[in-house]
Structure formats: C-alpha cells, structure tokens
Amino acid sequence: MRTGVHSANLLTLHKVSSKGLGWDHFINQSTHVNQVENFKQWVGGQKFNQATNCINKLGHSDLCTWSQNGTKAAEPIFPWIIHLEPGNIHFPPNIPVTVDELMNEYSKIPERSLIYTLHAKASPKAELEHVGVVETASKCQTSQYGDKKLFFRHQRIEEDFALRPEWLKEIDDDEKPCDPGPASTEVSVRQCARDAL
C-alpha cells in the first residue's frame, strides 16, 4: 500500500503447476517463470495472454516509481527480476482442506516472522543481489477489505522494456518467452519485440 497512489503488487510463482507443492506458500518464488510452454498450456497462462504476449514475466518499474509515502521517484531504479527465498515460516504440505483451515494457518504466524529474503537482478545479465527481507509487522488476520475491496494489477514486462529497451538485447534465448508475433522494432503492451533483436 502506498499513500495517495495505487498499491504496488507483484505476482510470484514457484512453477506453473502446483502439483506436488501442497499448500506451503512459503517456498522459492520468482517474478519470472521460465517454463514457457507449460505456462501457455496452463489455464492461468491463457488468461494472462489476453493482456500480454509475455505471459511468464512481470514488470517492476511501477513498484519502484512511488515510495510508501506516495513520493514519486524522478528516475526510478528497478530490477529485472525479484527472487524470494523462503524464511523460517512454512505450512504443512497436506493441509488445509478448507479456506477456514488455510486462514487458521496464517493466524499462527508470529509477529516479526521472517517470511522471505529478497534477491534481485539489476538487469538480465546481472547477478542476484540481496536487497531486503519481508517480515510480518503484526499477526495476520482476515478482513472484509481483503474480500471485497482489494484489487491487484500486475504490471506488464513490456512497460519495463519501454524504459529499458537495452534489456531486450541481454535476454538469453532460453529466456525469450514472448510470442514474437510479426517482426517489430517497438515494444508495446500487446507485443514483445523479440524479432527486433
């Protein structure tokens, strides 16, 4: 949440299929998933493809444009990827069966618990660097706000490409997830410029 501006949101995934992962949400996560073909077959991936051709990567520039108090950065510095390394909180893999049981697991997380250690790459060719941690500030609790008013908008990676076009030349072949479509030299919301390389 940021004062006076829209919230900053990230979607992270461990892998496309949750098969075999159980309900432990606190595992290795990343804002980019390299299982592109599996992603395209996944029902969620088909939905994402309605908004972007780069369905397995998310942008981060908006996250870094505004501070928590709503101050806008003149020239935001943002990463290529964010990787979340699990902290010391884990859920048992075979529970819960119901939403109430899942909420009960969250209610057991103590205040000041280390949830994740954050690592990021400044660009596609950069090394992962430690950038921070995610800790609980209080005990978790359910709310009507979360059920009825909370809205997430995930940022398209194409918006980051528009600000950092040099990244397109740095992406390895196995990281080129975007459906190239017709050849293009521009990055737009609907098309990645893979053919422009």
Side-chain angles (χ1 to χ4, degrees):
M1 304 302 216
R2 303 182 288 194
T3 304
V5 294
H6 58 276
S7 64
N9 305 292
L10 291 177
L11 170 68
T12 62
L13 293 172
H14 173 65
K15 62 181 186 177
V16 173
S17 169
S18 60
K19 188 174 182 181
L21 295 179
W23 283 90
D24 188 3
H25 299 167
F26 307 108
I27 54 177
N28 286 316
Q29 302 276 339
S30 180
T31 55
H32 296 182
V33 179
N34 285 332
Q35 301 167 316
V36 183
E37 288 312 312
N38 290 344
F39 208 101
K40 288 180 180 178
Q41 302 303 317
W42 177 51
V43 127
Q46 294 169 26
K47 183 66 177 170
F48 295 166
N49 200 43
Q50 293 175 355
T52 177
N53 287 338
C54 304
I55 60 174
N56 71 327
K57 296 194 183 311
L58 289 175
H60 304 96
S61 55
D62 181 73
L63 174 72
C64 301
T65 297
W66 303 91
S67 69
Q68 190 171 3
N69 68 8
T71 304
K72 186 173 185 178
E75 293 186 33
I77 298 170
F78 55 93
W80 161 249
I81 189 172
I82 298 174
H83 178 75
L84 290 73
E85 180 183 322
N88 48 20
I89 299 296
H90 290 282
F91 285 172
N94 296 325
I95 59 171
V97 175
T98 68
V99 171
D100 286 341
E101 288 176 355
L102 176 62
M103 295 302 108
N104 185 52
E105 288 299 316
Y106 277 108
S107 73
K108 295 176 187 175
I109 298 173
E111 182 178 337
R112 308 305 301 169
S113 292
L114 174 64
I115 304 296
Y116 293 112
T117 299
L118 303 179
H119 301 275
K121 283 186 173 189
S123 67
K125 295 289 187 191
E127 296 294 320
L128 278 173
E129 297 180 47
H130 177 268
V131 294
V133 296
V134 175
E135 289 183 342
T136 56
S138 65
K139 289 197 62 122
C140 300
Q141 68 180 67
T142 60
S143 72
Q144 288 292 320
Y145 178 81
D147 290 340
K148 297 188 175 181
K149 297 190 181 230
L150 191 60
F151 172 77
F152 293 104
R153 178 201 176 260
H154 306 301
Q155 186 182 15
R156 297 171 180 94
I157 189 70
E158 293 94 330
E159 294 173 37
D160 285 7
F161 288 153
L163 296 170
R164 300 283 189 274
E166 67 275 13
W167 284 0
L168 288 166
K169 295 178 182 171
E170 293 182 39
I171 303 171
D172 292 329
D173 284 342
D174 62 350
E175 281 196 284
K176 290 182 169 61
C178 304
D179 181 358
S184 170
T185 56
E186 296 181 7
V187 177
S188 70
V189 169
R190 285 294 303 159
Q191 177 180 325
C192 287
R194 178 177 174 189
D195 284 353
L197 300 178

